[in-house]
Structures are given as structure tokens and as C-alpha cells.
Amino acid sequence: MSTIKAGTKKILTHLIIILGLLFALLFFFFEVYLPGYTNHGETVTVPDLENFHYDEIEDYLDDRDLRYEVSADSGFVADAKPLSVLKQNPRPGAKVKQGRKIYITLNAQNAPLIKMPNLVNSPLENAQEVLANYGLVRGEIIYVPDIAPNVVLDQKLHGRTIKEGFEIPKGSQIDLVVGDGLGKQTLAIPNLVGMEESDAEFLVVGSGLRLGRISYVPSDTVPKGTIIKQLPPPGIKAKTGELIDVWISELANENNF
């Protein structure tokens, strides 16, 4: 009987030792090894990368034990510098583990091309909304005498009329020629023949008229950039806001290149 008790006691002792060792092993694994392996409790605050240039990001994140990856989808903001950060994930201020990868979206280096919408004959307010929806910027509003108040009569890019469907960079500044509602009076069309293009345009606008279609004609006798023909001709009575088409000389051999 005493032999059975002694054997049972020995087995229990061994079992307790085994359980104790197992408990110690599990405690070491979960409380010491695993937290150290996964950097448990060690977090990094995600910095705000907005407006950082691409070349600055790697060193900046390396100093904070973080990595990055550029998203394949880029965006475009006209006011932001090319290749600057527009968005990031995780957001600034988030707590992440060391070595976490930050996903960033960069501003495109070149503005994408978009087709110019038609704003002519649209109310000014509607035209401004269309420009914003297309990612274009409303530039100068040029009021000219016309019977239609606050109606767009012409759309210009860098001083030139820009037609519907013409491809322009997103973010371009579009100037709008708008009627002032005072277009009932009549006046004589000035003589533009012999004038340079810039001087003629200044005279036309100052006279309450508008420059219409511009055609370039090769010439060996008239200096380049000089108006050689206009329609309607000078002296004709016209309403304010009426268009004047002009033909401008260019060097005859320019078309051969």
C-alpha cells in the first residue's frame, strides 16, 4: 500500500514539475519573447507628409523608423508643387508600429490635358461653375458693351480665343469676355489696316467692339504681324460688341518649315 502511495506521489510531483515548466515556458513566450519580436507597445506617430516633395520623404521617414510606398494613382492640384504629397494613409497623428509602410499619393508632374468646354452664351455664374467642375481657374472678367448683361461672349487663354474641344492643361486660367448690358448704341468701325495686332486689339476693345476671327496670310511686302484686311470695313456703323475679323501678314517662307 505504501508502495502505491509513493508511486502516486512521485507521479504527481513529476506532473507538477512538468506543468510548472510548461507554465514558465508559456509565460516567457507570451510576455517576453513575443512582445520583443513584434515590438509590442512600441508605436510611432505618423507625421504629416502633405506638401513634402518626393525627394524628401525617404530620409524623413527613415529617421522615424517608417517606410513608404507611392500609390499608382496620382492626382493633380494646380496650386500644389509637382511630385508633392497630396494624400497619405494612415492619416497624420495615427499610432503605428515601427517599420509600418505609409502609402502616399503624389501630385502629377505635368497637368493632364482636358477639353475646353463651351462657355459662350452662358450666364457668367453658370460659366464659373463649369470652369470649377472642369478643374479650370476663372481669370479676368472683361466687360464689353453688349445688350446681354453678364452673358459670356468669348473665352480666352493667354489673351487668345480658345475654342470648345481644344485641349488645354488642367488648372489653366480662362479669361471671360462678358456683356455689360449697354450694347444698343452704334458707332463707326475703326480702320485697323496697317496696325500691329496688339495695337489693333487694344483699339477694338476700347471702341466697344470685339476682335473676331484672326487669319494669317503669307506676304513678302507687308511686315509680319501687320493687319492687311478687315471685315466689316472701316467707317461702317455697327452696334457695340460686334465682331471684327482681321487678316494678318506673316512671312511667306514660314509655311515651308
Side-chain angles (χ1 to χ4, degrees), residues 112-127:
L113 295 178
I114 61 173
K115 291 185 177 181
M116 179 67 197
N118 181 30
L119 306 175
V120 177
N121 295 326
S122 299
L124 177 59
E125 184 176 355
N126 292 354

Side-chain angles (χ1 to χ4, degrees), residues 2-246:
S2 59
T3 302
I4 296 175
K5 289 183 177 180
T8 302
K9 183 178 180 181
K10 188 174 182 180
I11 292 173
L12 290 174
T13 302
H14 288 169
L15 184 61
I16 292 172
I17 293 174
I18 292 173
L19 291 175
L21 290 174
L22 180 61
F23 177 79
L25 182 62
L26 292 174
F27 179 83
F28 175 80
F29 179 79
F30 286 107
E31 299 297 328
V32 179
Y33 173 77
L34 192 60
Y37 180 77
T38 60
N39 294 323
H40 181 71
E42 297 181 18
T43 60
V44 179
T45 301
V46 176
D48 187 355
L49 301 176
E50 185 177 353
N51 295 326
F52 269 66
H53 190 271
Y54 173 73
D55 294 335
E56 304 172 321
I57 297 172
E58 185 170 3
D59 291 341
Y60 186 80
L61 291 182
D62 279 346
D63 293 341
R64 289 156 179 79
D65 295 322
L66 294 170
R67 299 178 298 143
Y68 75 96
E69 181 175 318
V70 178
S71 173
D73 297 327
S74 63
F76 180 76
V77 176
D79 296 335
K81 295 180 180 179
L83 298 182
S84 61
V85 177
L86 297 179
K87 295 187 297 184
Q88 67 180 83
N89 185 33
R91 303 285 297 172
K95 300 293 184 180
V96 298
K97 293 180 180 179
Q98 293 177 343
R100 172 67 186 270
K101 185 179 291 185
I102 310 299
Y103 297 89
I104 60 175
T105 300
L106 297 178
N107 194 33
Q109 188 164 9
N110 298 311
L113 295 178
I114 61 173
K115 291 185 177 181
M116 179 67 197
N118 181 30
L119 306 175
V120 177
N121 295 326
S122 299
L124 177 59
E125 184 176 355
N126 292 354
Q128 294 180 135
E129 292 180 2
V130 172
L131 287 175
N133 292 337
Y134 273 74
L136 298 170
V137 179
R138 195 217 74 197
E140 184 181 0
I141 298 178
I142 306 168
Y143 283 97
V144 297
D146 192 90
I147 58 175
N150 290 318
V151 172
V152 177
L153 304 175
D154 197 6
Q155 50 197 34
K156 291 178 175 288
L157 175 64
H158 304 312
R160 297 286 189 179
T161 296
I162 181 75
K163 300 295 184 180
E164 177 186 8
F166 193 83
E167 291 190 337
I168 59 176
K170 188 175 182 179
S172 296
Q173 182 171 295
I174 305 299
D175 297 330
L176 301 177
V177 179
V178 180
D180 62 4
L182 303 175
K184 294 183 180 180
Q185 60 265 41
T186 60
L187 45 85
I189 292 181
N191 184 10
L192 306 178
V193 176
M195 300 182 65
E196 293 186 358
E197 181 180 356
S198 58
D199 294 336
E201 185 171 9
F202 181 80
L203 175 60
V204 167
V205 174
S207 300
L209 300 168
R210 292 187 293 137
L211 205 59
R213 184 176 60 183
I214 299 175
S215 302
Y216 292 92
V217 181
S219 175
D220 292 324
T221 59
V222 179
K224 178 182 177 181
T226 302
I227 294 178
I228 60 179
K229 181 182 176 181
Q230 70 178 77
L231 192 65
I236 297 294
K237 294 293 183 179
K239 292 183 178 180
T240 53
E242 187 167 331
L243 296 174
I244 302 179
D245 297 333
V246 296

